Amino acid sequence: MRSPRLGSVTRTLLLAVTPTLCAAGCFVDVPPALTGGSSDGGDATEGTTTSTTLATTGDIHDDTDASSKGCPTTSPPGKWYLDQDGDDWGVEPAQIACDEPPGTAPERGDCDDHDSERFPGSLEVCDGEDDDCDEIVDEFSPVNEACHGCALAERDGAPHWFCKVDAIDWVAARAACSALGWTVDLLSLHSEADDLWARKQVEALFEGGDPMGTVWIGLRRADPHWTGCEANPAHWEWSDGSPVDYSAWSMGQPDSASCDPMCEPVDALDAACPRENCGQMLYMLGGWNDRACFSAGVGYACRAAPPP
């Protein structure tokens, strides 16, 4: 029979040896207690509270760390744009920050960050500059109704120019319009109301004047018919590419006068081979007239595309 005392000694030796064996790689299928309690009878409840606090600390957001967890005053962090001229409009690139950094603005779109008088919404003046940052120069504003011989106006949100000159051909007139901005072209008219309004603007500019006075507008013979002599209103278009969906030709016009069908013009200003391929507006008598593009007109009208 095994001695009870011997069994007790054997258990004591096994318990003493076990940590050494596990250090060499044994498997324990009972997870360690997370109570924090001690073998000497310590308070298990206190150990549990401490362990729970440690386990959840990583889930608590520190709002003072704005780089990754938001801002105390702005959520999410804002975009700020460099504003060197102090007009409250900035330029790219943006900075990301909780609070507005010095020398920045919350709005972008400044077209000259070294001139505090030029920013979106500024009033346009006659200075050859794009004061309001819309990529157009010297257009109408409440303080800019005339500029460089042109009467300025706005209709349906689109800037208009009605210009009086000594002599200008159609090509030069179109170039003068384009110099005002990439969306500006010679005037196109798409309704009777547009036509009547434009004629009144020109008549006021010329103060009556010559009843036969003409102003270049954007009428032109379409490319497929440029070298032809047909007097067909359907062969015409506007220089801005829009169709002629309203017609105000004077009686008998277009007539394609002095057109030699055996002659093909080199370009629009080829006086050796005339073609009445450009259009004018008779501002007092009313109506449109076709005329050679190299003819000298006394005025022209421009229109910018309306804002989207």
Side-chain angles (χ1 to χ4, degrees):
M1 176 179 294
R2 177 179 298 175
S3 169
R5 181 176 179 81
L6 179 59
S8 176
V9 172
T10 303
R11 285 194 298 270
T12 301
L13 290 172
L14 288 173
L15 289 173
V17 173
T18 298
T20 303
L21 294 177
C22 288
C26 70
F27 176 78
V28 179
D29 61 352
V30 180
L34 297 179
T35 62
S38 63
S39 59
D40 61 358
D43 188 351
T45 302
E46 180 181 352
T48 302
T49 302
T50 304
S51 299
T52 302
T53 302
L54 292 174
T56 58
T57 299
D59 296 329
I60 296 176
H61 289 274
D62 180 3
D63 285 340
T64 62
D65 182 8
S67 63
S68 61
K69 300 183 179 66
C71 301
T73 58
T74 305
S75 182
K79 284 187 175 182
W80 310 97
Y81 302 90
L82 180 65
D83 178 18
Q84 299 182 85
D85 56 13
D87 58 10
D88 295 327
W89 288 85
V91 296
E92 295 279 8
Q95 302 179 44
I96 307 298
C98 290
D99 299 313
E100 181 174 352
T104 66
E107 301 289 344
R108 65 176 178 175
D110 199 344
C111 52
D112 187 344
D113 202 29
H114 299 284
D115 187 344
S116 61
E117 300 298 320
R118 299 178 62 197
F119 56 86
S122 178
L123 290 177
E124 192 76 22
V125 296
C126 183
D127 59 358
E129 301 282 355
D130 178 14
D131 301 302
D132 56 1
C133 297
D134 63 353
E135 300 185 343
I136 302 173
V137 301
D138 297 340
E139 76 267 28
F140 170 83
S141 79
V143 297
N144 196 40
E145 297 182 350
C147 184
H148 303 309
C150 300
L152 311 180
E154 190 173 88
R155 180 174 173 80
D156 296 331
H160 287 69
W161 296 256
F162 299 93
C163 304
K164 182 179 180 181
V165 295
D166 292 332
I168 192 169
D169 61 53
W170 188 90
V171 174
R174 190 183 185 194
C177 292
S178 297
L180 298 169
W182 69 275
T183 67
V184 185
D185 209 319
L186 282 167
L187 177 65
S188 59
L189 301 166
H190 298 279
S191 70
E192 183 178 9
D194 287 346
D195 190 52
L196 291 174
W197 178 81
R199 283 171 50 197
K200 288 181 180 179
Q201 308 306 309
V202 180
E203 187 174 350
L205 175 65
F206 283 84
E207 299 177 345
D210 184 1
M212 297 297 291
T214 60
V215 169
W216 290 118
I217 55 178
L219 277 174
R220 68 183 297 274
R221 195 186 298 269
D223 288 345
H225 310 286
W226 187 262
T227 60
C229 290
E230 300 88 349
N232 187 341
H235 292 173
W236 289 71
E237 66 182 12
W238 294 106
S239 57
D240 60 12
S242 59
V244 180
D245 50 8
Y246 162 76
S247 179
W249 290 103
S250 297
M251 184 177 295
Q253 300 297 326
D255 60 3
S256 195
S258 305
C259 183
D260 181 357
M262 301 301 294
C263 178
E264 292 191 2
V266 175
D267 56 42
L269 302 182
D270 185 0
C273 189
R275 290 287 188 277
E276 291 195 338
N277 285 348
C278 295
Q280 298 174 318
M281 178 174 63
L282 300 166
Y283 64 85
M284 290 191 69
L285 295 180
W288 306 339
N289 175 60
D290 61 336
R291 196 171 181 190
C293 301
F294 56 77
S295 302
V298 295
Y300 60 95
C302 309
R303 175 181 179 270

